[in-house]
Each structure stands twice: as C-alpha cells, then as structure tokens.
C-alpha cells in the first residue's frame, strides 16, 4: 500500500472538506479521482504530498516512496533555457557529464593513466545513473508534448501552457513510484493528449489523477474514486463503466429508500391503530405492541 489515509478531518475556516475520510492507494493501480468543483480533490492531493496536514487523522506513506507531483514551476528569469529547467532535477548527472567532457579534453592532450582511470570510474557511474538515457528521454517527451523546438528557448518567454508542458516533462522524467496529476490535459493539444495517454498506459508506476476529461480517463485509468460530500466511493473500471455503476447504485438506493418509506408508513399506521385501540379498550397489550413497533421504527430511521 503506497498511501493509507485514516479518518482524516480537514477544514478551511468554516468550510469543512473532510470528516473521517479514509482511503487507500495500492501499488500498481491507475486511479481517476472525480468529484464536483470544490469537493476537495486538489486539497486531497496536497495532503498526500505533505504540502498540507490534516486537522485530525493520519496520512501514512510507504517508506522511501518517490512521489511525482506537477506543482507550480519556480519563477525563472534571464537566459535559463527550457533544457536547463528540465535538467535542474538531475544536477548530479549534469555535473558528471560536464566533468567527463573536461576529462575528454584533457585526454586529447595527455593519455596519463590517472586521467583515463578517473574517466572510466565517472563514466561507469554516469551509465548506472542513466546519464546516456536522459538526453534521449528529454527529446522523446518534449517531442511527444510538442515542445521539442522550445528546448533552447529562454524558459521565461514560454506561455503558461508551454510551461505546464515543461513541468509535465520534469515530473515524468523522475519515473516516480506514485504519479499525481491534476488536470494534466488542460493545456495539451490532441497530439500531446494522445501521447500522454499512450505513455501512461505503459507506465509501470502507480497513477492517481484528477481529470474532467472523460475520454482521457476512459483510456488511462482502471479505477474511479468518486469524492462526494467528503466521502470516497470506489468503482472498478474506467469512467464510462463508473457512470453506469454509479447510476445503477443510485437507482438501487432510490428503490431501497422508497421501499423503506413504505415500511415506515405501515409502521406509523400500525402504531397509531394500536394506540387508538388501547385508548378505546383500555387494553395494556395494545400499548405494549405500539411501543414495540416504535422501537423498530426508531431503528429504521436512525
């Protein structure tokens, strides 16, 4: 279990979002989180990441869990390029790469054993950390999201939508254990959405995503968590299957409610008759039967 939320409470002033909310995010699942605007979906993400804390209850994360969350990007000024912004999370790799280039220049002038040995050790570490894959992955993801031509452009010149795409590249490159995506298709064109759907289908980690894009949810997720009135209802399947299952559940609940109302009315009528008969006949048994039915009615309406 990657995340286990136990009976949390969360309020913002007089607004109560959650009371005794519990849920689990198991390893390997692909989950869509749906609910009305203002139901607390983004707040739930912040509780999972630790950006915010519950007023009561526990948010338990698996030890050493690597979280990937598309957060607000830092403000970048000057000539810092898109490529540099993306690579900022891989400082160790970039430093090793730069060091390797310096050693390559030195080897052009000298073939000393010490330099060659140092180069070999660094190169092995670079390979183990996936250094040679990094550039390829950046190129692949940037191309898929339609920002390949922007990699050398100053980051601050990008539009808000383009910056969001850069943030998506950054979080996907980490290949986290648990990937949290909040409305990931909002600033994507059709080609980029299709690329992201294909990527997430083959993604080996766990996905927890908020989205109003029904087609995206149909393509990507295998479970729906429906957040309503501070409670989570879990449905198996994609969004279309969730809609059918929820409709059937609500219909069943309505039928049960109507059946219960009929039983309640029958009990109320019976209680009234027994009391009337008791009053007319003075028979204490009639009052006892009325009292017994009142207890049954109270249990039904609790």
């Amino acid at each position: 279990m990657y995340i286990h939320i136990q009976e949390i409470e969360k309020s913002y002033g007089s607004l109560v979002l959650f009371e005794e909310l519990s849920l689990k995010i198991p390893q390997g699942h692909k989950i869509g989180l749906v609910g009305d605007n203002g139901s607390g979906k983004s707040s739930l993400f912040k509780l999972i990441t630790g950006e915010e804390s519950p007023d009561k209850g526990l948010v338990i994360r698996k030890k050493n869990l690597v979280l990937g969350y598309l957060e607000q990007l830092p403000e970048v000024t000057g000539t810092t390029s898109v490529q540099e912004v993306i690579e900022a999370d891989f400082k160790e790799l970039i430093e090793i790469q730069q060091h390797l280039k310096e050693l390559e220049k030195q080897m052009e002038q000298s073939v000393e054993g010490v330099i060659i040995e140092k180069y070999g050790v660094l190169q092995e570490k670079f390979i183990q950390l996936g250094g040679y894959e990094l550039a390829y992955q950046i190129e692949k993801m940037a191309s898929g999201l339609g920002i390949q031509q922007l990699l050398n452009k100053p980051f601050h010149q990008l539009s808000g939508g383009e910056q969001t795409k850069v943030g998506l590249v950054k979080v996907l490159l980490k290949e986290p254990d648990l990937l949290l995506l909040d409305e990931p298709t909002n600033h994507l064109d059709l080609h980029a959405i299709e690329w992201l759907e294909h990527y997430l289908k083959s993604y080996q980690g766990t996905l927890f995503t908020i989205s109003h894009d029904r087609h995206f949810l149909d393509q990507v997720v295998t479970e729906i968590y429906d957040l309503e009135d501070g409670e989570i209802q879990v449905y198996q399947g994609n969004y279309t299957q969730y809609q059918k299952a929820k409709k059937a559940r609500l219909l069943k609940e309505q039928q049960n409610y109507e059946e219960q109302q009929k039983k309640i009315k029958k009990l109320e009528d019976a209680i009234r008759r027994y009391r009337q008969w008791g009053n007319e006949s003075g028979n204490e048994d009639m009052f006892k039967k009325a009292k017994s039915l009142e207890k049954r009615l109270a249990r039904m309406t609790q």
Side-chain angles (χ1 to χ4, degrees):
M1 198 65 60
Y2 275 165
I3 300 291
H4 190 184
I5 293 177
Q6 296 181 336
E7 297 184 347
I8 62 168
E9 295 183 13
K10 186 65 179 178
S11 299
Y12 297 93
S14 60
L15 174 63
V16 179
L17 275 184
F18 308 128
E19 288 183 297
E20 299 185 352
L21 174 68
S22 297
L23 67 90
K24 297 177 182 179
I25 301 179
Q27 179 179 348
H29 289 220
K30 291 178 179 166
I31 303 164
L33 177 63
V34 301
D36 293 337
N37 291 333
S39 60
K41 300 186 295 298
S42 295
S43 295
L44 184 57
F45 266 34
K46 291 176 181 178
L47 290 167
I48 290 172
T49 63
E51 185 178 340
E52 294 187 8
S53 299
D55 300 328
K56 289 183 181 179
L58 296 173
V59 179
I60 302 170
R61 304 170 190 86
K62 184 181 178 183
K63 188 177 180 181
N64 299 322
L65 178 70
V66 179
L67 276 170
Y69 180 38
L70 181 55
E71 303 173 89
Q72 185 176 358
L73 292 168
E75 290 188 11
V76 178
T77 58
T79 59
T80 304
S81 70
V82 170
Q83 181 94 19
E84 289 170 333
V85 169
I86 292 173
E87 292 176 346
D89 293 329
F90 302 90
K91 289 182 179 179
E92 184 180 8
L93 272 177
I94 301 306
E95 288 173 359
I96 293 174
Q97 187 178 45
Q98 291 173 346
H99 198 174
L100 285 172
K101 289 179 179 179
E102 292 171 2
L103 290 174
E104 287 170 0
K105 290 180 180 178
Q106 292 179 30
M107 286 190 295
E108 289 177 0
Q109 306 298 324
S110 172
V111 289
E112 291 184 20
V114 176
I115 298 175
I116 295 174
E117 183 179 350
K118 187 182 291 186
Y119 185 88
V121 171
L122 271 180
Q123 187 180 48
E124 180 63 28
K125 186 176 182 180
F126 190 68
I127 292 171
Q128 289 178 352
L129 293 174
Y132 289 112
E133 286 291 314
L134 180 60
Y136 168 75
Q137 289 296 333
I138 291 174
E139 186 79 10
K140 176 183 174 183
M141 292 181 180
S143 176
L145 292 171
I147 57 170
Q148 185 180 19
Q149 73 283 3
L150 303 177
L151 290 176
N152 295 318
K153 188 174 181 178
F155 179 79
H156 76 276
Q157 293 182 5
L158 269 58
S159 67
E162 290 168 341
Q163 290 187 5
T164 298
K165 290 181 180 181
V166 173
L168 193 52
V169 171
K170 283 169 68 68
V171 74
L172 295 181
L173 277 173
K174 294 179 182 178
E175 297 185 343
D177 301 321
L178 173 58
L179 178 60
L180 302 173
L181 298 178
D182 191 344
E183 300 292 355
T185 63
N186 269 5
H187 297 286
L188 304 184
D189 55 30
L190 181 59
H191 172 78
I193 292 173
E194 289 176 347
W195 179 88
L196 182 61
E197 288 173 353
H198 178 75
Y199 177 89
L200 293 175
K201 282 179 184 178
S202 59
Y203 180 62
Q204 297 300 305
T206 300
L207 172 67
F208 196 45
T209 180
I210 298 169
S211 181
H212 287 91
D213 187 333
R214 298 180 179 186
H215 181 270
F216 173 77
L217 292 174
D218 271 347
Q219 294 299 310
V220 172
V221 307
T222 56
E223 284 175 88
I224 295 290
Y225 284 14
D226 186 9
L227 179 58
E228 186 175 14
D229 297 328
E231 296 182 356
I232 291 281
Q233 185 80 31
V234 178
Y235 296 86
Q236 299 301 316
N238 60 20
Y239 189 86
T240 297
Q241 292 166 327
Y242 145 75
Q243 280 189 307
K244 292 178 180 177
K246 183 174 182 178
K247 183 178 180 180
R249 179 179 69 82
L250 293 176
L251 180 59
K252 182 65 176 177
E253 287 179 356
Q254 180 64 26
Q255 291 172 342
N256 290 341
Y257 173 78
E258 291 173 356
E259 187 64 29
Q260 184 189 49
Q261 293 305 303
K262 291 178 183 178
K263 291 180 180 178
I264 288 173
K265 188 176 185 307
K266 286 182 179 179
L267 282 173
E268 289 174 340
D269 290 343
I271 291 167
R272 188 166 51 254
R273 286 197 303 272
Y274 279 121
R275 286 200 171 279
Q276 182 181 349
W277 293 339
N279 288 327
E280 292 174 352
S281 65
N283 188 335
E284 190 63 28
D285 287 342
M286 297 293 104
F287 291 109
K288 288 181 180 179
K289 288 181 179 180
K291 196 70 174 177
S292 176
L293 292 179
E294 284 174 346
K295 289 180 180 179
R296 189 192 305 179
L297 179 62
R299 289 195 296 270
M300 287 182 64
T301 56
Q302 281 179 350

